[in-house]
Amino acid sequence: MTINSLAFLIFFMVLTILYYLPFVKKYQWVLLLAASYIFYTLAGNHNLIYIIITTIVTYIGAILLDRKNTIQEEYVKAHKGILPKQEIKDYKEKIKKEKHKITFFCVFINLGMLIVIKYGSFLMGNVGRIFGKENLSDISFLQIAVPLGISYYTLISIGYLLDVSKGKCKSEKNLFKTALFVSYFPQITQGPFSRFTEMAPRLFTSHKFSYENLSYGCQRILWGFFKKMVIADRMKPMVDAIFENYQECSGFSLLLGCMYFSIQLYADFSGYMDIVCGCSNILGIELAENFKRPFFSKSLAEYWRRWHITLCSWFRDYLFYPLSISKAAVKFGRIGKKILPPSIAKLVPSIFALSIIWLSTGLWHDASWRYVFWGIYNGVIIIASMCLEPWFIKIEKKLNIKAENKLFQGFQMIRTFLIISLLKVFPIANSTKGSLVILYKIFFEFQMELSRAACFPTFKTEDFFCVGIGLLIFIYVSFKQEKAPMHESINRCPFVVRWAIYLVLLLMILTFGVFDTGLTGGFEYAQY
Amino acid sequence: MHNIKKIAIRLVLIIVVVTVYDSIIDYLYRPYKDSVTYTMQDRKKLEGTLETVFIGTSRVQRGISPEIMNEELGTVSFNMATSLQLMDGTYHLLSSVAEENPVETVFLGVAPELMLSDNDATRSKVLVYERMMDWKDRLSYLIDCCPMQEWPYITLYSTQVEDYFDFDFVEKNVEFKQSEEYKTRKTGKIRYRNNGMYSLKKSTDDPQVTFLEKKESIFQPSSVNKEKEEYFKKTIEYCKENNIEVVLVNMPISGNLIEELGDVTTIHDYYSGIAEEYEIAFFDFNYYKKLEETFDNQRFENEKHLNYGGAKVFTKVLAEVYKSYQNGEDMNKYFMDTCPYYVAE
């Protein structure tokens, strides 16, 4: 059962009816937990052992960490002004070390499972290659099917443990409530990455039925289906046709393919997000937003603040900040000051942290060298643009280009779109070699050809109309949303206009959407 | 309560709009050649009177004429076969017909290759679904045989249209649907014959044979899909429980194909086994004594399907064989122990 299936909609409808029954009110969270596990099983995960282990480890770890925080607080409170400051400081340091041990142990188990299941084969394959034993990756315990959503719920759990460790939130004393936080069904397969501090009050309290929530939720679900079925699913065969035959395609066709894939992936992933956020809204639980019109970004760094926002903020809060103030970063900073110009030297700790982050982000997506390259490529561009920023500012001043100039902003957006489209050679190819061949062809065998077969392979006339109309609406809505939330504008419309919009959108899905089940499938990001 | 009313009104509005829209699209885009409209008109006319049913795949749909059979046997018959009809579809379609009609005999033609296939075409399910009169039967078929993912495609015609922007087609299609020719069915343009029978060729005795495909021998009893076999047996059991006589028919295929396939014997043995197990009649027309002269290549529109001329001949032969069978005559006068093409070799 995927989120875009009728089965899911029926499942969700039944859940919503049960959820708002008067006698269920107190136990809404229990129902959500049961629904999450049922959904997880129906989505194809019959082996629940990994998510259960993660939940138990997270639950115990959080309680132990919280206990340490309480012990420390009580100790400080009882001895403040009595014991010397140094002694209190030493005590805090001791507790900190103990907390580190607990955190390390829990993260080791949770992350360890992810590494063994998702990266074991990749790591052993590479070790085997180094030592001339090609079949090392065939070890039976490494051949476990990767459980759906493991990359998502592992990071969500680790984030929670780190928050408790830092005292940002209290631990949850109920194991089943922790289980719900880890497995909450709208976010388990593709995110967003929620924080316990935000989610706990929404998940564990009772919600009254609200027609406004239902209306807003349905709007988002409808919009999500429109993006997924009219744009993403229609474009998929064309993108597949280009990259399945990349050897025969010119660099020009491949570059176009990368651009199409950027649009397809955005429509697919943001469509998914709209559907799950809409569902969660109906249940009265607001999820974090994951997209903010990324194609309006004027730089790659801004793009990553608008695309997969919760993943980026996770890496920023739990990896970037700790790394940039770590001992190693400070050490690198000192070395940088000696050998680099001051404008760059001050960036060295950030560069150090960014390098590790982009490597990790690449590996988080998939255990393969092409994603390592993808991470390096992202990191290099962002670091280079950071280092070159002073020069860019100088050039802009010399050429008298103003940042608010619409034309210049347009240029920046197109430039960013091209960069992120080029980055797509890594996820779209089926191997590292394939990615590098595609890149080579784009740069050295460009051969611009404007025929329909070269620009839009497999695209029929009706596909042009369907995707064209879909994209026009998509772009219009994006521009409107950049100024104000679209649902607010719709809600201000009279009933007839509002319902005309909904019905037209629904009929457009029926008319232009892809329903042939041979062509539709799950979502692109579910593979991560 | 106020909210429930509000939601209910909106749900009804959505359902009404979608239904009206789907009906309009159906009228505009469903090709006039599509046999389902006429099939359903004929079904409605004959509902409650059907005594004989032909069911199976396109070979039956194009190969057996109910009109001729009615003349030969003095019965009221209907052809319920559809392209690529799978056994679960056959079962549901047959039970839906049998519940509303005094069905006495069923001629069941199973295409051997469909007993093997794992890839069930959604399109074939649409054809079965559309031939059901009752919404309860439709729902039962959807729940029992179709993954939920396929439901919108099967139930809504607007999701099946391949090209919404072919306005020339729409114009011609609507124009023809409004014409008298369409209503009276008196035209060479319509390939629907009567009582569910459909024939591809316009003319009645088109002598041209088009060989569409060549297939290698694939039928092996061990590779029969267990689920399909279960439905095959379930269909026979359903008939027996309801005192409906089942006649298993293997439709004739062209000589070219018989020679190429080489697995006609395997297919015959498999069906004979089933027929013996359930004590039902089995007429294998690839073992028919006069196969070569009666069903030469001129009687086919392609390797697997009889043309209209071939269908007329075949229906008469089938009626004659069935009458003899009912009279307890020796079937050896019609059938050999092996395929005549193999003897000729």
Side-chain angles (χ1 to χ4, degrees):
Chain A
M1 181 168 67
T2 54
I3 295 281
N4 60 333
S5 63
L6 189 66
F8 174 76
L9 289 183
I10 291 172
F11 163 83
F12 183 71
M13 228 155 67
V14 173
L15 171 69
T16 309
I17 293 167
L18 293 174
Y19 187 78
Y20 286 116
L21 287 177
F23 57 88
V24 178
K25 208 179 164 190
K26 262 188 174 179
Y27 308 101
Q28 280 178 338
W29 71 269
V30 180
L31 183 68
L32 283 184
L33 176 63
S36 296
Y37 270 78
I38 291 170
F39 170 78
Y40 195 61
T41 313
L42 292 177
N45 284 280
H46 302 296
N47 196 346
L48 299 173
I49 189 76
Y50 305 109
I51 194 167
I52 289 171
I53 292 174
T54 303
T55 304
I56 293 171
V57 168
T58 308
Y59 168 73
I60 296 170
I63 283 183
L64 291 177
L65 287 167
D66 203 20
R67 201 170 287 165
K68 291 287 169 197
N69 285 341
T70 315
I71 291 169
Q72 183 182 300
E73 261 173 45
E74 282 169 0
Y75 181 87
V76 172
K77 210 175 168 184
H79 297 90
K80 209 176 179 182
I82 303 166
L83 287 175
K85 275 185 182 175
Q86 188 56 42
E87 205 167 315
I88 292 176
K89 205 178 167 186
D90 288 346
Y91 184 79
K92 278 185 179 174
E93 201 56 39
K94 188 187 143 209
I95 294 281
K96 195 178 170 185
K97 275 183 187 166
E98 284 172 5
K99 283 201 296 186
H100 273 319
K101 276 183 197 165
I102 297 167
T103 313
F104 177 79
F105 178 75
C106 296
V107 171
F108 178 78
I109 293 184
N110 287 351
L111 208 59
M113 267 193 303
L114 176 68
I115 290 170
V116 170
I117 293 169
K118 194 171 172 180
Y119 305 101
S121 190
F122 170 69
L123 291 172
M124 294 310 281
N126 283 296
V127 170
R129 240 169 265 154
I130 293 166
F131 293 102
K133 290 185 176 175
E134 293 290 328
N135 55 356
L136 263 186
S137 59
D138 299 337
I139 299 169
S140 62
F141 77 92
L142 297 175
Q143 306 303 318
I144 308 162
V146 180
L148 189 69
I150 189 168
S151 309
Y152 292 91
Y153 68 70
T154 302
L155 292 201
I156 288 173
S157 309
I158 291 172
Y160 166 52
L161 282 168
L162 294 174
D163 280 348
V164 176
S165 172
K166 284 175 192 163
K168 283 185 184 172
C169 64
K170 288 273 171 197
S171 67
E172 176 52 58
K173 302 291 182 288
N174 187 327
L175 170 67
F176 298 102
K177 284 186 176 175
T178 308
L180 173 60
F181 170 67
V182 174
S183 66
Y184 182 47
F185 74 93
Q187 65 180 22
I188 197 167
T189 54
Q190 289 184 74
F193 293 91
S194 304
R195 305 294 171 92
F196 189 79
T197 40
E198 290 166 359
M199 286 300 282
R202 298 172 194 166
L203 278 176
F204 309 140
T205 48
S206 303
H207 296 275
K208 260 189 171 178
F209 176 80
S210 144
Y211 183 78
E212 283 66 37
N213 281 347
L214 176 74
S215 166
Y216 177 51
C218 289
Q219 276 180 37
R220 285 201 73 165
I221 293 171
L222 195 64
W223 182 232
F225 273 107
F226 178 84
K227 286 196 271 187
K228 168 71 178 156
M229 296 174 83
V230 177
I231 301 172
D233 286 347
R234 278 239 172 232
M235 291 184 81
K236 193 177 173 7
M238 179 170 66
V239 174
D240 288 349
I242 293 175
F243 290 100
E244 274 164 17
N245 304 303
Y246 69 89
Q247 302 278 17
E248 283 85 50
C249 289
S250 67
F252 174 67
S253 296
L254 292 170
L255 179 63
L256 283 178
C258 289
M259 295 203 273
Y260 300 149
F261 184 56
S262 296
I263 299 167
Q264 183 213 328
L265 192 63
Y266 177 45
D268 186 280
F269 195 13
S270 67
Y272 166 87
M273 281 301 152
D274 282 323
I275 297 170
V276 294
C277 288
C279 290
S280 204
N281 272 315
I282 292 173
L283 300 172
I285 299 160
E286 199 185 328
L287 286 178
E289 289 299 332
N290 229 359
F291 291 97
K292 202 181 158 196
R293 296 158 297 284
F295 293 156
F296 286 125
S297 308
K298 294 189 266 304
S299 67
L300 189 60
E302 188 190 350
Y303 171 80
W304 281 109
R305 288 193 295 272
R306 286 169 171 262
W307 172 279
H308 213 171
I309 297 167
T310 55
L311 173 74
C312 299
S313 63
W314 194 97
F315 275 108
R316 183 193 63 212
D317 293 349
Y318 301 114
L319 211 59
F320 179 78
Y321 290 152
L323 275 173
S324 38
I325 54 164
S326 66
K327 282 177 190 167
V330 174
K331 213 173 180 181
F332 278 117
R334 274 190 210 129
I335 298 167
K337 271 179 193 167
K338 285 177 194 165
I339 55 168
L340 293 167
S343 61
I344 297 176
K346 68 178 181 190
L347 298 173
V348 169
S350 305
I351 292 171
F352 164 74
L354 277 173
S355 309
I356 294 175
I357 280 188
W358 281 108
L359 199 65
S360 315
T361 313
L363 279 171
W364 175 84
H365 278 84
D366 193 26
S368 68
W369 281 107
R370 63 200 168 107
Y371 275 100
V372 174
F373 286 129
W374 175 86
I376 292 170
Y377 182 12
N378 266 294
V380 166
I381 294 173
I382 289 174
I383 291 166
S385 56
M386 272 166 66
C387 295
L388 297 172
E389 205 182 355
W391 281 279
F392 286 147
I393 294 169
K394 272 183 196 170
I395 293 167
E396 282 168 23
K397 271 184 185 169
K398 268 193 178 173
L399 295 172
N400 202 19
I401 298 169
K402 284 178 184 161
E404 59 272 16
N405 184 313
K406 295 275 177 210
L407 232 110
F408 182 60
Q409 285 183 351
F411 160 76
Q412 286 177 310
M413 285 177 198
I414 293 168
R415 181 194 60 191
T416 310
F417 179 70
L418 282 173
I419 291 171
I420 56 128
S421 295
L422 270 178
L423 279 164
K424 295 289 183 287
V425 299
F426 296 104
I428 192 69
N430 51 12
S431 66
T432 312
K433 192 185 160 197
S435 309
L436 297 176
V437 170
I438 293 167
L439 264 184
Y440 178 85
K441 283 195 149 203
I442 290 173
F443 285 108
F444 301 107
E445 291 174 13
F446 194 67
Q447 292 163 0
M448 192 158 164
E449 194 193 327
L450 292 173
S451 69
R452 185 164 159 175
C455 298
F456 305 100
T458 75
F459 237 41
K460 292 180 230 149
T461 311
E462 66 267 22
D463 292 323
F464 276 109
F465 282 108
C466 296
V467 174
I469 292 168
L471 281 176
L472 278 178
I473 295 172
F474 193 16
I475 293 167
Y476 172 77
V477 171
S478 298
F479 270 105
K480 289 282 271 183
Q481 278 180 323
E482 199 61 2
K483 289 173 190 160
M486 193 64 191
H487 70 275
E488 285 178 9
S489 318
I490 293 175
N491 287 348
R492 278 196 297 271
C493 296
F495 177 84
V496 179
V497 178
R498 206 165 62 235
W499 270 84
I501 294 172
Y502 301 154
L503 291 172
V504 166
L505 210 60
L506 177 66
L507 297 183
M508 282 185 81
I509 294 172
L510 290 181
T511 311
F512 302 140
V514 177
F515 282 89
D516 187 344
T517 49
L519 299 173
T520 56
F523 288 86
E524 296 285 339
Y525 248 75
Q527 62 182 300
Y528 304 129
Chain B
M1 196 62 203
H2 172 70
N3 279 325
I4 293 172
K5 202 175 162 188
K6 216 169 159 183
I7 295 165
I9 291 170
R10 280 152 181 79
L11 272 178
V12 170
L13 176 69
I14 292 170
I15 292 166
V16 168
V17 170
V18 170
T19 311
V20 170
Y21 177 75
D22 200 59
S23 307
I24 295 170
I25 294 298
D26 192 305
Y27 184 73
L28 297 177
Y29 286 92
R30 188 186 287 278
Y32 63 81
K33 290 173 190 170
D34 196 309
S35 58
V36 75
T37 318
Y38 289 139
T39 304
M40 295 315 279
Q41 282 173 0
D42 288 353
R43 265 290 304 276
K44 269 179 201 160
K45 261 189 241 165
L46 297 169
E47 194 67 345
T49 61
L50 297 179
E51 293 164 348
T52 306
V53 171
F54 312 109
I55 201 157
T57 59
S58 55
R59 291 189 214 174
V60 176
Q61 189 188 26
R62 295 174 201 173
I64 304 179
S65 165
E67 203 174 31
I68 295 170
M69 195 59 98
N70 290 353
E71 282 169 20
E72 296 291 321
L73 296 180
T75 181
V76 183
S77 65
F78 205 89
N79 196 324
M80 295 297 297
T82 55
S83 289
L84 298 170
Q85 192 178 102
L86 301 168
M87 280 318 301
D88 51 5
T90 304
Y91 172 77
H92 278 270
L93 204 49
L94 184 63
S95 55
S96 79
V97 179
E99 269 166 37
E100 303 298 327
N101 294 279
V103 179
E104 289 165 3
T105 313
V106 169
F107 288 86
L108 180 60
V110 185
E113 63 271 25
L114 287 181
M115 294 295 288
L116 310 173
S117 163
D118 282 327
N119 302 317
D120 305 344
T122 313
R123 184 71 209 146
S124 72
K125 295 177 185 171
V126 174
L127 298 175
V128 170
Y129 175 85
E130 285 180 337
R131 275 162 179 78
M132 287 175 178
M133 305 272 279
D134 198 314
W135 69 269
K136 281 183 222 153
D137 294 331
R138 287 184 167 193
L139 190 65
S140 151
Y141 175 62
L142 282 177
I143 292 170
D144 208 12
C145 309
C146 313
M148 228 180 245
Q149 191 76 355
E150 295 178 344
W151 287 18
Y153 185 81
I154 293 171
T155 54
L156 295 169
Y157 188 77
S158 49
T159 63
Q160 296 164 21
V161 178
E162 282 180 7
D163 188 357
Y164 266 102
F165 300 93
D166 190 352
F167 300 119
D168 284 344
F169 163 77
V170 175
E171 196 185 335
K172 281 177 194 160
N173 199 36
V174 172
E175 197 181 317
F176 188 76
K177 280 185 177 179
Q178 286 171 338
S179 68
E180 272 305 301
E181 272 181 288
Y182 181 75
K183 283 167 196 160
T184 54
R185 307 183 190 181
K186 283 175 187 167
T187 174
K189 277 186 181 179
I190 293 166
R191 289 150 196 195
Y192 177 80
R193 301 295 167 179
N194 54 59
N195 294 12
M197 194 207 177
Y198 182 83
S199 192
L200 266 184
K201 293 285 180 227
K202 283 190 284 187
S203 64
T204 49
D205 292 286
D206 197 327
Q208 280 189 330
V209 184
T210 51
F211 292 104
L212 297 175
E213 52 187 311
K214 301 277 177 196
K215 280 204 168 178
E216 286 175 16
S217 169
I218 47 165
F219 190 86
Q220 285 299 327
S222 57
S223 45
V224 166
N225 182 304
K226 291 289 159 214
E227 206 180 319
K228 285 178 180 137
E229 191 178 64
E230 207 174 286
Y231 262 109
F232 183 22
K233 291 180 175 177
K234 211 171 152 182
T235 307
I236 299 170
E237 281 161 12
Y238 172 83
C239 292
K240 295 202 110 185
E241 279 165 20
N242 291 281
N243 295 320
I244 299 169
E245 185 189 14
V246 186
V247 179
L248 204 56
V249 180
N250 194 18
M251 299 290 289
I253 51 176
S254 80
N256 289 37
L257 192 61
I258 288 178
E259 280 170 13
E260 196 160 323
L261 282 179
D263 58 0
V264 172
T265 316
T266 325
I267 294 166
H268 176 88
D269 293 345
Y270 175 73
Y271 287 129
S272 292
I274 301 265
E276 272 170 33
E277 186 184 339
Y278 287 96
E279 294 173 342
I280 56 172
F282 172 47
F283 304 152
D284 188 342
F285 285 92
N286 293 317
Y287 274 41
Y288 183 52
K289 275 184 179 168
K290 296 176 193 165
L291 179 66
E292 284 173 283
E293 63 261 38
T294 318
F295 302 109
D296 60 5
N297 283 345
Q298 303 301 306
R299 294 293 179 204
F300 290 87
E301 62 185 31
N302 58 44
E303 291 121 320
K304 290 177 183 171
H305 301 101
L306 291 162
N307 59 24
Y308 191 48
K312 286 197 286 191
V313 174
F314 175 73
T315 312
K316 282 183 182 166
V317 172
L318 178 64
E320 186 193 330
V321 172
Y322 177 66
K323 271 193 267 183
S324 302
Y325 169 76
Q326 278 208 314
N327 295 336
E329 290 170 27
D330 184 8
M331 286 292 105
N332 287 332
K333 68 177 181 183
Y334 295 109
F335 298 105
M336 295 173 71
D337 290 335
T338 185
C339 176
Y341 281 92
Y342 295 162
V343 176
E345 271 176 21

